[in-house]
Amino acid sequence: MDVGVIGKPNVGKSTFFNAVTLGGAEIANYPFTTIDSNIGATYVTYNCPCKELHVTCSPQNSKCIEGVRLVPLKIIDVAGLVKGAHTGRGLGNKFLNDLSRAETLIHIVDASGSTDIEGNPVPVGTHNPLEDIEFLEEEINLWFFGILNDNWFRFARKVCSGHHDFCKIVAEQFTGIGITEGTVIASIRETGLNPEQCIHWKDEELLVFARSLRKISKPITIVLNKVDIAPPENIKAIKEKIGEVFTISAEAELVLRKAANAGLVKYIPSQKTFEISGTLTDMQKSALNKIKNFMEKNEGTGVQNVINQVVFNILGKIVVYPVEDESHMKDGKGNVLPDAYLMEKGSTPRDLAFRIHTDIGKSFLYAVNARTKMRIKDDYELQNGDIIKIVSAAR
């Protein structure tokens, strides 16, 4: 599962990426700082059962900080997008190829209006961020349209002749981009278009279909960055036009995570505040006080909340903890609550068994709810926070 971070140049994508990964993406105040996509590991945060069970956990594939489990996933920071990218302008082709790997997209928007449509610095408030939201989404939609439009008449003729299945042939056009036959079916239902008449579709209908495919396969979450310096009217206008958006300060989150790593503050990602725990200079105190003031108004920096919302609410993932010894919540090596897996909602114990190891999945016998010590049905839908023992012939 990959999350893509997108936006025009110079809006804070790399700062956001560095904040959630503590990676080393280059940050500078000019367009196209990110030439090659950066791939890193970030985390969703979820309650670790260790506090509930009064045990000391020993995570192996994740982290636990004071009862908060940090479960890893991949995140991609891709090159900035400019108008005309779908035709290859700027780093367009590279950008679009990079984001093809992502299941969902986080669009970082400069809410302060301090960068123009190309990403060049301008005075705060002189550029309308709504233009950025509209053009970027349409660029990706036009990319999908271009893929569809290429050879459309040829395969539409095959579909109308009855020799090829419409959903299958469209999905094949998007190999490697995450479009399935199920996605195509959902788009047909949403748009009301008739696939049997696809050879007669005009460009307008094809674009409607392309937009639907994009929206379903790569949903975009709008994230307003630099809100600490943004004119209030900018944020109000965006919310009135777009609806639900997230407000963040990626720079504040990056400062806090670095300070926490250095032992200067106590801060767990997603917390709404922090505590000073080290010796600070007057300059450091001043900077942290500004961040604290912002967090009080914004209920945190907002950064980790974005990741959690995208993974849990948009992608529909849950966190499950597998164990081998349900009495002591341990694996075979004695590690307590060792692993945390992100699973699809609706996953069953057998799905979890395959996630742990193919051999365990193939030889799956049954599963036990470690909390109740009761055997559960094979078709039981795993719930967020479940602790599950898998019994298989391979163990």
Side-chain angles (χ1 to χ4, degrees), residues 158-192:
K158 292 180 179 179
V159 170
C160 291
S161 68
H163 297 254
H164 289 76
D165 178 77
F166 178 84
C167 295
K168 182 178 180 180
I169 201 168
V170 170
E172 288 174 351
Q173 288 289 105
F174 290 91
T175 299
I177 298 178
I179 300 288
T180 65
E181 292 182 42
T183 309
V184 181
I185 292 171
S187 291
I188 287 296
R189 288 174 179 167
E190 181 181 78
T191 60

Side-chain angles (χ1 to χ4, degrees), residues 27 47 66 98 111 119 125 127 133 148 154 160 162 176 205 208 222 245 266 294 322 324 349 375 384 387:
I27 302 171
N47 292 333
E66 298 181 13
D98 286 340
H127 177 71
I133 296 172
L148 278 175
R154 179 176 57 82
C160 291
E205 293 166 306
V208 167
I222 304 299
V245 296
K266 288 183 178 179
F294 168 75
E324 293 181 55
R375 182 167 170 170
N384 222 349
I387 309 173

Side-chain angles (χ1 to χ4, degrees), residues 1-17:
M1 176 185 65
D2 293 342
V3 174
V5 182
I6 62 175
K8 72 180 185 184
N10 202 22
V11 295
K13 296 189 315 301
S14 295
T15 304
F16 180 91
F17 178 85

Side-chain angles (χ1 to χ4, degrees), residues 7-9 31-32 79-97 116-120 135 139 142-143:
K8 72 180 185 184
F32 300 119
L81 186 67
V82 296
K83 276 191 173 182
H86 70 281
T87 65
R89 184 170 178 263
L91 300 173
N93 292 331
K94 180 171 180 52
F95 172 97
L96 297 167
N97 287 335
D116 66 17
I117 201 74
E118 300 287 333
N120 299 300
F135 103 76
E139 283 295 332
L142 288 171
W143 172 49

